PDB file of all heavy atoms in Angstrom:
ATOM      1  N   ALA A  25       3.158  -5.477 -18.418  1.00  0.00           N
ATOM      2  CA  ALA A  25       4.445  -5.680 -19.087  1.00  0.00           C
ATOM      3  C   ALA A  25       5.570  -5.207 -18.189  1.00  0.00           C
ATOM      4  O   ALA A  25       5.368  -4.425 -17.256  1.00  0.00           O
ATOM      5  CB  ALA A  25       4.460  -4.919 -20.409  1.00  0.00           C
ATOM      6  N   GLY A  26       6.770  -5.689 -18.477  1.00  0.00           N
ATOM      7  CA  GLY A  26       7.939  -5.204 -17.776  1.00  0.00           C
ATOM      8  C   GLY A  26       8.256  -5.893 -16.479  1.00  0.00           C
ATOM      9  O   GLY A  26       9.073  -5.385 -15.692  1.00  0.00           O
ATOM     10  N   LEU A  27       7.651  -7.060 -16.197  1.00  0.00           N
ATOM     11  CA  LEU A  27       7.997  -7.785 -14.982  1.00  0.00           C
ATOM     12  C   LEU A  27       9.429  -8.294 -15.067  1.00  0.00           C
ATOM     13  O   LEU A  27       9.905  -8.673 -16.134  1.00  0.00           O
ATOM     14  CB  LEU A  27       7.053  -8.983 -14.795  1.00  0.00           C
ATOM     15  CG  LEU A  27       5.620  -8.701 -14.371  1.00  0.00           C
ATOM     16  CD1 LEU A  27       4.827 -10.001 -14.353  1.00  0.00           C
ATOM     17  CD2 LEU A  27       5.570  -8.039 -13.014  1.00  0.00           C
ATOM     18  N   PRO A  28      10.149  -8.345 -13.944  1.00  0.00           N
ATOM     19  CA  PRO A  28      11.472  -8.960 -13.950  1.00  0.00           C
ATOM     20  C   PRO A  28      11.400 -10.399 -14.456  1.00  0.00           C
ATOM     21  O   PRO A  28      10.386 -11.088 -14.265  1.00  0.00           O
ATOM     22  CB  PRO A  28      11.890  -8.896 -12.479  1.00  0.00           C
ATOM     23  CG  PRO A  28      11.077  -7.787 -11.902  1.00  0.00           C
ATOM     24  CD  PRO A  28       9.773  -7.810 -12.633  1.00  0.00           C
ATOM     25  N   ASP A  29      12.487 -10.868 -15.057  1.00  0.00           N
ATOM     26  CA  ASP A  29      12.483 -12.201 -15.656  1.00  0.00           C
ATOM     27  C   ASP A  29      12.164 -13.292 -14.643  1.00  0.00           C
ATOM     28  O   ASP A  29      11.400 -14.217 -14.946  1.00  0.00           O
ATOM     29  CB  ASP A  29      13.842 -12.479 -16.308  1.00  0.00           C
ATOM     30  CG  ASP A  29      14.047 -11.689 -17.596  1.00  0.00           C
ATOM     31  OD1 ASP A  29      13.044 -11.180 -18.130  1.00  0.00           O
ATOM     32  OD2 ASP A  29      15.196 -11.587 -18.054  1.00  0.00           O
ATOM     33  N   PHE A  30      12.749 -13.201 -13.424  1.00  0.00           N
ATOM     34  CA  PHE A  30      12.522 -14.277 -12.455  1.00  0.00           C
ATOM     35  C   PHE A  30      11.064 -14.306 -12.001  1.00  0.00           C
ATOM     36  O   PHE A  30      10.503 -15.381 -11.745  1.00  0.00           O
ATOM     37  CB  PHE A  30      13.465 -14.132 -11.258  1.00  0.00           C
ATOM     38  CG  PHE A  30      13.047 -13.122 -10.222  1.00  0.00           C
ATOM     39  CD1 PHE A  30      12.323 -13.504  -9.113  1.00  0.00           C
ATOM     40  CD2 PHE A  30      13.371 -11.774 -10.372  1.00  0.00           C
ATOM     41  CE1 PHE A  30      11.939 -12.580  -8.152  1.00  0.00           C
ATOM     42  CE2 PHE A  30      12.996 -10.848  -9.421  1.00  0.00           C
ATOM     43  CZ  PHE A  30      12.276 -11.240  -8.304  1.00  0.00           C
ATOM     44  N   VAL A  31      10.431 -13.126 -11.910  1.00  0.00           N
ATOM     45  CA  VAL A  31       9.016 -13.083 -11.572  1.00  0.00           C
ATOM     46  C   VAL A  31       8.185 -13.671 -12.701  1.00  0.00           C
ATOM     47  O   VAL A  31       7.267 -14.472 -12.481  1.00  0.00           O
ATOM     48  CB  VAL A  31       8.574 -11.642 -11.259  1.00  0.00           C
ATOM     49  CG1 VAL A  31       7.067 -11.570 -11.049  1.00  0.00           C
ATOM     50  CG2 VAL A  31       9.305 -11.113 -10.031  1.00  0.00           C
ATOM     51  N   GLN A  32       8.507 -13.279 -13.927  1.00  0.00           N
ATOM     52  CA  GLN A  32       7.780 -13.780 -15.080  1.00  0.00           C
ATOM     53  C   GLN A  32       7.847 -15.307 -15.152  1.00  0.00           C
ATOM     54  O   GLN A  32       6.830 -15.970 -15.384  1.00  0.00           O
ATOM     55  CB  GLN A  32       8.371 -13.180 -16.371  1.00  0.00           C
ATOM     56  CG  GLN A  32       7.585 -13.509 -17.635  1.00  0.00           C
ATOM     57  CD  GLN A  32       6.297 -12.706 -17.751  1.00  0.00           C
ATOM     58  OE1 GLN A  32       6.229 -11.581 -17.296  1.00  0.00           O
ATOM     59  NE2 GLN A  32       5.277 -13.303 -18.340  1.00  0.00           N
ATOM     60  N   ARG A  33       9.033 -15.874 -14.911  1.00  0.00           N
ATOM     61  CA  ARG A  33       9.184 -17.331 -14.973  1.00  0.00           C
ATOM     62  C   ARG A  33       8.348 -18.021 -13.906  1.00  0.00           C
ATOM     63  O   ARG A  33       7.684 -19.030 -14.185  1.00  0.00           O
ATOM     64  CB  ARG A  33      10.658 -17.702 -14.801  1.00  0.00           C
ATOM     65  CG  ARG A  33      11.539 -17.381 -16.014  1.00  0.00           C
ATOM     66  CD  ARG A  33      12.880 -18.089 -15.910  1.00  0.00           C
ATOM     67  NE  ARG A  33      13.627 -17.692 -14.728  1.00  0.00           N
ATOM     68  CZ  ARG A  33      14.458 -16.665 -14.672  1.00  0.00           C
ATOM     69  NH1 ARG A  33      14.659 -15.914 -15.759  1.00  0.00           N
ATOM     70  NH2 ARG A  33      15.114 -16.372 -13.561  1.00  0.00           N
ATOM     71  N   ARG A  34       8.382 -17.483 -12.698  1.00  0.00           N
ATOM     72  CA  ARG A  34       7.620 -18.116 -11.625  1.00  0.00           C
ATOM     73  C   ARG A  34       6.126 -17.990 -11.840  1.00  0.00           C
ATOM     74  O   ARG A  34       5.361 -18.934 -11.577  1.00  0.00           O
ATOM     75  CB  ARG A  34       8.017 -17.502 -10.281  1.00  0.00           C
ATOM     76  CG  ARG A  34       9.423 -17.882  -9.846  1.00  0.00           C
ATOM     77  CD  ARG A  34       9.832 -17.225  -8.556  1.00  0.00           C
ATOM     78  NE  ARG A  34       8.982 -17.599  -7.437  1.00  0.00           N
ATOM     79  CZ  ARG A  34       9.150 -17.136  -6.203  1.00  0.00           C
ATOM     80  NH1 ARG A  34      10.122 -16.284  -5.939  1.00  0.00           N
ATOM     81  NH2 ARG A  34       8.336 -17.513  -5.235  1.00  0.00           N
ATOM     82  N   VAL A  35       5.676 -16.847 -12.328  1.00  0.00           N
ATOM     83  CA  VAL A  35       4.255 -16.652 -12.575  1.00  0.00           C
ATOM     84  C   VAL A  35       3.770 -17.574 -13.691  1.00  0.00           C
ATOM     85  O   VAL A  35       2.712 -18.216 -13.588  1.00  0.00           O
ATOM     86  CB  VAL A  35       3.969 -15.177 -12.911  1.00  0.00           C
ATOM     87  CG1 VAL A  35       2.545 -15.005 -13.421  1.00  0.00           C
ATOM     88  CG2 VAL A  35       4.181 -14.299 -11.680  1.00  0.00           C
ATOM     89  N   VAL A  36       4.549 -17.663 -14.748  1.00  0.00           N
ATOM     90  CA  VAL A  36       4.164 -18.537 -15.857  1.00  0.00           C
ATOM     91  C   VAL A  36       4.146 -19.992 -15.407  1.00  0.00           C
ATOM     92  O   VAL A  36       3.227 -20.752 -15.746  1.00  0.00           O
ATOM     93  CB  VAL A  36       5.128 -18.335 -17.046  1.00  0.00           C
ATOM     94  CG1 VAL A  36       4.911 -19.421 -18.096  1.00  0.00           C
ATOM     95  CG2 VAL A  36       4.925 -16.958 -17.664  1.00  0.00           C
ATOM     96  N   ALA A  37       5.152 -20.407 -14.630  1.00  0.00           N
ATOM     97  CA  ALA A  37       5.176 -21.780 -14.136  1.00  0.00           C
ATOM     98  C   ALA A  37       3.952 -22.073 -13.280  1.00  0.00           C
ATOM     99  O   ALA A  37       3.337 -23.149 -13.393  1.00  0.00           O
ATOM    100  CB  ALA A  37       6.450 -22.031 -13.339  1.00  0.00           C
ATOM    101  N   GLY A  38       3.570 -21.115 -12.413  1.00  0.00           N
ATOM    102  CA  GLY A  38       2.378 -21.309 -11.601  1.00  0.00           C
ATOM    103  C   GLY A  38       1.121 -21.433 -12.422  1.00  0.00           C
ATOM    104  O   GLY A  38       0.237 -22.248 -12.129  1.00  0.00           O
ATOM    105  N   ALA A  39       1.023 -20.623 -13.480  1.00  0.00           N
ATOM    106  CA  ALA A  39      -0.153 -20.686 -14.347  1.00  0.00           C
ATOM    107  C   ALA A  39      -0.229 -22.018 -15.078  1.00  0.00           C
ATOM    108  O   ALA A  39      -1.304 -22.636 -15.184  1.00  0.00           O
ATOM    109  CB  ALA A  39      -0.119 -19.534 -15.345  1.00  0.00           C
ATOM    110  N   LEU A  40       0.904 -22.490 -15.588  1.00  0.00           N
ATOM    111  CA  LEU A  40       0.919 -23.778 -16.272  1.00  0.00           C
ATOM    112  C   LEU A  40       0.575 -24.907 -15.308  1.00  0.00           C
ATOM    113  O   LEU A  40      -0.168 -25.830 -15.656  1.00  0.00           O
ATOM    114  CB  LEU A  40       2.292 -24.021 -16.903  1.00  0.00           C
ATOM    115  CG  LEU A  40       2.697 -23.084 -18.048  1.00  0.00           C
ATOM    116  CD1 LEU A  40       4.110 -23.412 -18.520  1.00  0.00           C
ATOM    117  CD2 LEU A  40       1.718 -23.178 -19.211  1.00  0.00           C
ATOM    118  N   ALA A  41       1.128 -24.838 -14.091  1.00  0.00           N
ATOM    119  CA  ALA A  41       0.818 -25.864 -13.102  1.00  0.00           C
ATOM    120  C   ALA A  41      -0.669 -25.897 -12.778  1.00  0.00           C
ATOM    121  O   ALA A  41      -1.274 -26.971 -12.670  1.00  0.00           O
ATOM    122  CB  ALA A  41       1.635 -25.618 -11.838  1.00  0.00           C
ATOM    123  N   SER A  42      -1.260 -24.722 -12.629  1.00  0.00           N
ATOM    124  CA  SER A  42      -2.680 -24.661 -12.327  1.00  0.00           C
ATOM    125  C   SER A  42      -3.505 -25.306 -13.439  1.00  0.00           C
ATOM    126  O   SER A  42      -4.446 -26.069 -13.178  1.00  0.00           O
ATOM    127  CB  SER A  42      -3.104 -23.206 -12.124  1.00  0.00           C
ATOM    128  OG  SER A  42      -4.472 -23.116 -11.794  1.00  0.00           O
ATOM    129  N   ARG A  43      -3.141 -25.010 -14.673  1.00  0.00           N
ATOM    130  CA  ARG A  43      -3.879 -25.590 -15.802  1.00  0.00           C
ATOM    131  C   ARG A  43      -3.680 -27.102 -15.889  1.00  0.00           C
ATOM    132  O   ARG A  43      -4.523 -27.814 -16.450  1.00  0.00           O
ATOM    133  CB  ARG A  43      -3.453 -24.894 -17.096  1.00  0.00           C
ATOM    134  CG  ARG A  43      -3.933 -23.443 -17.197  1.00  0.00           C
ATOM    135  CD  ARG A  43      -3.659 -22.840 -18.575  1.00  0.00           C
ATOM    136  NE  ARG A  43      -4.350 -21.571 -18.734  1.00  0.00           N
ATOM    137  CZ  ARG A  43      -3.795 -20.379 -18.548  1.00  0.00           C
ATOM    138  NH1 ARG A  43      -2.511 -20.293 -18.200  1.00  0.00           N
ATOM    139  NH2 ARG A  43      -4.497 -19.277 -18.704  1.00  0.00           N
ATOM    140  N   ALA A  44      -2.563 -27.586 -15.317  1.00  0.00           N
ATOM    141  CA  ALA A  44      -2.312 -29.024 -15.309  1.00  0.00           C
ATOM    142  C   ALA A  44      -2.854 -29.698 -14.047  1.00  0.00           C
ATOM    143  O   ALA A  44      -2.616 -30.888 -13.839  1.00  0.00           O
ATOM    144  CB  ALA A  44      -0.817 -29.286 -15.437  1.00  0.00           C
ATOM    145  N   GLY A  45      -3.555 -28.954 -13.229  1.00  0.00           N
ATOM    146  CA  GLY A  45      -4.137 -29.526 -12.022  1.00  0.00           C
ATOM    147  C   GLY A  45      -3.153 -29.711 -10.890  1.00  0.00           C
ATOM    148  O   GLY A  45      -3.313 -30.613 -10.060  1.00  0.00           O
ATOM    149  N   LEU A  46      -2.130 -28.841 -10.826  1.00  0.00           N
ATOM    150  CA  LEU A  46      -1.101 -28.932  -9.799  1.00  0.00           C
ATOM    151  C   LEU A  46      -1.099 -27.671  -8.930  1.00  0.00           C
ATOM    152  O   LEU A  46      -1.577 -26.624  -9.354  1.00  0.00           O
ATOM    153  CB  LEU A  46       0.277 -29.119 -10.453  1.00  0.00           C
ATOM    154  CG  LEU A  46       0.507 -30.479 -11.123  1.00  0.00           C
ATOM    155  CD1 LEU A  46       1.769 -30.446 -11.982  1.00  0.00           C
ATOM    156  CD2 LEU A  46       0.596 -31.591 -10.078  1.00  0.00           C
ATOM    157  N   PRO A  47      -0.511 -27.739  -7.729  1.00  0.00           N
ATOM    158  CA  PRO A  47      -0.548 -26.604  -6.795  1.00  0.00           C
ATOM    159  C   PRO A  47       0.479 -25.541  -7.127  1.00  0.00           C
ATOM    160  O   PRO A  47       1.391 -25.746  -7.938  1.00  0.00           O
ATOM    161  CB  PRO A  47      -0.249 -27.259  -5.448  1.00  0.00           C
ATOM    162  CG  PRO A  47       0.641 -28.408  -5.805  1.00  0.00           C
ATOM    163  CD  PRO A  47       0.096 -28.941  -7.113  1.00  0.00           C
ATOM    164  N   ILE A  48       0.369 -24.421  -6.441  1.00  0.00           N
ATOM    165  CA  ILE A  48       1.288 -23.310  -6.653  1.00  0.00           C
ATOM    166  C   ILE A  48       2.596 -23.493  -5.882  1.00  0.00           C
ATOM    167  O   ILE A  48       3.648 -23.021  -6.310  1.00  0.00           O
ATOM    168  CB  ILE A  48       0.612 -21.976  -6.249  1.00  0.00           C
ATOM    169  CG1 ILE A  48       1.457 -20.776  -6.709  1.00  0.00           C
ATOM    170  CG2 ILE A  48       0.348 -21.907  -4.762  1.00  0.00           C
ATOM    171  CD1 ILE A  48       0.747 -19.449  -6.520  1.00  0.00           C
ATOM    172  N   ASN A  49       2.557 -24.215  -4.759  1.00  0.00           N
ATOM    173  CA  ASN A  49       3.712 -24.263  -3.849  1.00  0.00           C
ATOM    174  C   ASN A  49       4.082 -25.708  -3.544  1.00  0.00           C
ATOM    175  O   ASN A  49       3.451 -26.360  -2.717  1.00  0.00           O
ATOM    176  CB  ASN A  49       3.395 -23.511  -2.558  1.00  0.00           C
ATOM    177  CG  ASN A  49       4.569 -23.455  -1.611  1.00  0.00           C
ATOM    178  OD1 ASN A  49       5.692 -23.858  -1.946  1.00  0.00           O
ATOM    179  ND2 ASN A  49       4.328 -22.955  -0.406  1.00  0.00           N
TER     180      ASN A  49
END
């Protein structure tokens, strides 16, 4: 808990992309 908002957004986006079969970068 307590991650900065911009980190949280990028991490969540990466996780969603991975689940959708897309790359991190």
Side-chain angles (χ1 to χ4, degrees):
L27 287 175
D29 287 344
F30 80 94
V31 174
Q32 187 75 32
R33 287 194 300 272
R34 290 177 61 180
V35 170
V36 169
L40 294 177
S42 182
R43 290 188 169 97
L46 290 168
I48 191 172
N49 183 7

